[in-house]
Amino acid sequence: MKRLISVLALIALALGLSACATRTYVDDKVAVVNQRVDEVDSNAKQGIRRLDAQVGLMDATLKAHEEMIAAAQKTAQEALDRAIAAGKLSEGKMLYEVVLSDDHFKFGIDDDKLSKETKAALDSFAGQIKAENKGAYIEIQGHTDSRGEASHNDKLGERRAMAVYQYLHTKAGLPLHRMNVISYGETRPLASNMTEDGRKQNRRVVLVVLK
């Protein structure tokens, strides 16, 4: 009888140990699964944050481009209005515009001298006017970045526009009465003046061709 009890006790002990081992195994597996779930959740949240940041950047870029287009349209429309008021146009419409930006046609600091690249671009522009738009009216707009005093930038924009005006007449042969000069100085930026790239875009001369 004692032997039977001992055997039963051993069996019970074995079953108990087996149950403990099973629970430990299950707990370990559950812990691993929970850890993986937490990792997936963390990765998903990071992915969502990255997507949100990319969407925000795209929205900011789109807004900047829309503002650039709006600024260009505004200056072109104002040129058209001035030309109509002065009786310079036969049809009263804008044909196109050419932007001579500092990013490609270098102006020195506080300088209005035309580079070889700018002169070549103006020669090409004048050739197109003579061939296709002899009766066109051209407004030459000077723009600067925001460094320096506003009054100085107004004069600098005018000097640069005048340099283009004089070159188109003396070297390219366009008549003076078909051209006009205006300076916007720093008031019509195309990009932020907080970066060098933005300032390069803002230092420009715009040729608005009207008919």
Side-chain angles (χ1 to χ4, degrees), residues 101-148:
S101 68
D102 188 66
D103 192 34
H104 299 92
F105 308 103
K106 306 295 184 184
F107 280 114
I109 297 175
D110 197 28
D111 187 20
D112 56 16
K113 293 181 180 179
L114 303 180
S115 67
K116 292 181 180 179
E117 293 85 356
T118 302
K119 291 177 180 179
L122 292 175
D123 289 338
S124 176
F125 170 79
Q128 182 178 352
I129 292 294
K130 292 176 182 178
E132 301 174 6
N133 310 110
K134 289 184 178 180
Y137 178 75
I138 304 161
E139 179 165 279
I140 305 167
Q141 303 172 349
H143 300 263
T144 71
D145 61 35
S146 64
R147 291 183 295 185

Side-chain angles (χ1 to χ4, degrees), residues 12-28:
L13 178 61
L15 290 173
L17 291 174
S18 176
C20 289
T22 301
R23 283 196 299 272
T24 301
Y25 175 80
V26 171
D27 289 343
D28 289 344

Side-chain angles (χ1 to χ4, degrees), residues 145-183:
D145 61 35
S146 64
R147 291 183 295 185
E149 295 293 331
S151 58
H152 175 79
N153 287 333
D154 286 340
K155 294 177 182 178
L156 178 59
E158 183 177 8
R159 282 164 43 204
R160 289 173 174 171
M162 281 299 300
V164 171
Y165 173 84
Q166 291 169 357
Y167 184 88
L168 287 175
H169 174 63
T170 59
K171 300 297 184 181
L174 297 186
L176 291 176
H177 71 280
R178 305 303 299 174
M179 296 186 289
N180 183 50
V181 168
I182 186 170
S183 173

